[in-house]
Amino acid sequence: MAEFKTKCSDGSFHIIKLSDLLKLKGAKEEIITEVKIEEEIESEIEKKRFGTPSYLIAERAVYFYYKERYRNVYLHFQF
C-alpha cells in the first residue's frame, strides 16, 4: 500500500476486468472481444463449480480490506 500511496496522488484504486482495461488502453476490438469471451467462459465455469466467480470473491476481499484499513482512500468497484 505504501507504494500505491507514493505513486498515486489522487488516492483512488480501481479493479476492472482485463477486457475493460484493454478497451481503456485502446486495444483492437477483436482482441477485446476474444478476451471478453474467455472471461465469460471462465466465469460460467466458476459459477458452476463454486457458485460465484473467483474474480468477484477477490474483488470483494480487496474492497473490504482497503475500506477497513484505509478509510480515506476512494474505492470504485463494479461488483
Side-chain angles (χ1 to χ4, degrees):
M1 184 66 185
E3 183 180 358
F4 169 74
K5 284 185 173 184
T6 61
K7 301 289 183 188
C8 185
S9 61
D10 72 356
S12 64
F13 182 83
H14 302 262
I15 292 181
I16 61 174
K17 293 180 183 178
L18 177 58
S19 59
D20 293 334
L21 177 62
L22 292 170
K23 187 173 185 176
L24 285 172
K25 294 299 180 180
K28 294 180 181 178
E29 193 59 41
E30 59 266 18
I31 302 290
I32 296 169
T33 301
E34 190 175 319
V35 170
K36 278 185 179 183
I37 292 168
E38 290 298 321
E39 288 171 341
E40 290 172 12
I41 291 169
E42 184 177 323
S43 178
E44 287 303 313
I45 290 169
E46 290 180 349
K47 280 181 194 174
K48 288 178 184 175
R49 189 169 177 202
F50 303 112
T52 303
S54 63
Y55 73 87
L56 287 178
I57 295 168
E59 285 178 358
R60 287 184 181 121
V62 169
Y63 173 81
F64 288 114
Y65 171 82
Y66 279 95
K67 181 180 178 188
E68 201 49 42
R69 188 161 181 174
Y70 304 101
R71 292 192 166 104
N72 61 337
V73 174
Y74 171 72
L75 300 170
H76 178 77
F77 284 79
Q78 297 175 330
F79 294 120

